[in-house]
Amino acid sequence: MSAIIATICTIRQLPQAFALGASITQHASKGRNSSFVIGLADKLEHLPGGFSSDYTIVPVSDFLTSDELDKLSAQYTPTEFAGACKPAFLQDVFRRYPDTDSVVYVDPSIAFFSELTPIWERLSKATILLTPYITGSLPNIGNTGQTWPDEKFFQNLGLYSADFLALRRSAETDKMLNWWQDRVQERAFVNFCEGLCTDQRWLMHVPIFFQDVAIVKE
């Protein structure tokens, strides 16, 4: 079975997405057949003339209605908008590539420096892979003079990063993406006072609400 590695970005982030794609071309093909897909949180007509890409680019208009796009773009900043589109984009990737059993989401700020075999091995035994921001307690603030960040700081951001997650095709993954999509439609703002931080604050609930979720600490 093949795998898809996907990212979502604005036009301004496309150079980063292309750098990510180059690292995938170099490393991800080892051990598994994989392809790279870019979700464009922007309009195709905003691309410069003569633009071309070595990678598949899927505009959000391909999987969201015009009414949904008008609503989301009106209420969100570009960063919030991209986060609000992410679950629907991942759902679309699974539909678009029916022979794919695994989808790895990676933000365009990331690049790969070694083969992805450990990801495929972990995902073969799990439905969803999440990566935490911290993997252990921080030094005692009173002993070090450190005042920030502490563990509570990550309760504002969310315990798990939405910059990287991996999903295996399953009914449980479908349930998780539907649930996530329902939340980010109205609550993907950056508003710490309201307990919101784009799409990733919701990931705190995933290990509790869904089965076979693995926390990747290495």
Side-chain angles (χ1 to χ4, degrees):
M1 297 290 284
S2 64
I4 299 294
I5 302 169
T7 194
I8 191 166
C9 68
T10 63
I11 287 177
R12 291 183 63 183
Q13 294 172 306
L14 276 174
Q16 291 174 281
F18 291 164
L20 167 60
S23 74
I24 292 169
T25 300
Q26 182 177 359
H27 297 294
S29 60
K30 298 177 182 178
R32 189 160 199 178
N33 181 31
S34 57
S35 301
F36 181 47
V37 178
I38 300 172
L40 185 65
D42 217 317
K43 294 181 178 180
L44 285 176
E45 54 263 36
H46 291 166
L47 290 168
F51 173 84
S52 64
S53 171
D54 294 332
Y55 312 109
T56 300
I57 295 181
V58 179
V60 292
S61 58
D62 275 16
F63 54 85
L64 294 175
T65 67
S66 58
D67 288 343
E68 288 173 327
L69 288 173
D70 289 344
K71 177 182 177 182
L72 294 177
S73 61
Q75 71 187 26
Y76 288 136
T77 67
T79 298
E80 294 167 341
F81 178 76
C85 294
K86 189 184 299 179
F89 171 52
L90 294 173
Q91 289 173 317
D92 181 74
V93 170
F94 274 115
R95 287 192 297 265
R96 190 178 292 267
Y97 299 94
D99 294 332
T100 293
D101 66 331
S102 303
V103 174
V104 176
Y105 176 82
V106 190
D107 255 18
S109 58
I110 290 175
F112 291 107
F113 293 92
S114 62
E115 61 184 82
L116 276 64
T117 301
I119 298 174
W120 311 135
E121 291 175 347
R122 290 297 299 270
L123 196 56
S124 69
K125 302 174 183 177
T127 297
I128 301 167
L129 301 184
L130 296 178
T131 50
Y133 273 114
I134 54 175
T135 57
S137 61
L138 298 173
N140 185 286
I141 291 175
N143 294 337
T144 65
Q146 176 183 334
T147 58
W148 184 88
D150 59 6
E151 289 92 342
K152 187 177 183 300
F153 167 76
F154 293 96
Q155 295 178 22
N156 285 331
L157 295 180
L159 300 181
Y160 304 106
S161 173
D163 291 355
F164 174 92
L165 67 155
L167 306 165
R168 180 162 53 85
R169 185 186 294 275
S170 67
E172 199 70 6
T173 295
D174 291 341
K175 286 167 53 180
M176 179 270 189
L177 290 175
N178 286 332
W179 168 85
W180 198 16
Q181 170 65 9
D182 181 65
R183 268 60 184 174
V184 299
Q185 287 290 298
E186 299 291 344
R187 290 174 284 179
F189 297 100
V190 177
N191 188 334
F192 296 144
C193 292
E194 294 292 332
L196 299 173
C197 185
T198 64
D199 56 318
Q200 75 180 4
R201 188 72 191 275
W202 298 105
L203 297 179
M204 294 173 62
H205 304 286
V206 170
I208 302 171
F209 292 172
F210 303 98
Q211 300 296 316
D212 300 321
V213 178
I215 311 303
V216 180
K217 296 183 179 182
E218 61 268 39

